[in-house]
Amino acid sequence: MGKAGKNLDEMLTKINLSLDDVYICNILKYRPPENRNPLPDEIKKHTHYLLKQIEIIKPKVICSLGNYATKFFLS
C-alpha cells in the first residue's frame, strides 16, 4: 500500500518477480491502535503465527522488510 507498496513493486520488477510470485506476511496480524509501533509483548504474542506460516510455506528465500521484522529474524 502507498509508497512502501510502490517501492516493493519496483524492487520485485527489478528482479523479474511480481506479487503473484511472492508470499507476504507480517509480524503482527493487526495494526496497533493509531498505527503506533508494536510493543515487545505484542510481537511475542504473534510471532508463533509467523513461524507457522514459514513452516507451511517453506520459502526458499525470506526477505524481511522493516525494522521489527528484521530485528525478529536477527535476534
Side-chain angles (χ1 to χ4, degrees):
M1 297 189 92
K3 185 178 179 182
K6 184 178 179 186
N7 287 340
L8 178 59
D9 287 340
E10 289 173 5
M11 285 188 282
L12 290 173
T13 299
K14 288 179 182 181
I15 58 171
N16 298 315
L17 293 174
S18 73
L19 286 177
D20 293 332
D21 300 314
V22 300
Y23 181 80
I24 298 173
C25 54
N26 294 301
I27 290 285
L28 296 185
K29 299 301 168 198
Y30 65 90
R31 286 224 179 255
E34 298 179 24
N35 202 28
R36 65 166 164 71
N37 291 334
L39 302 173
D41 190 50
E42 292 171 319
I43 293 171
K44 187 175 180 180
K45 287 179 183 177
H46 285 251
T47 51
H48 72 281
Y49 294 111
L50 174 62
L51 293 173
K52 189 65 176 177
Q53 287 175 297
I54 292 169
E55 179 184 325
I56 291 167
I57 300 298
K58 296 177 178 57
K60 294 177 185 175
V61 174
I62 295 176
C63 177
S64 65
L65 302 174
N67 186 32
Y68 294 95
T70 302
K71 283 182 180 178
F72 173 74
F73 283 109
L74 293 179
S75 63

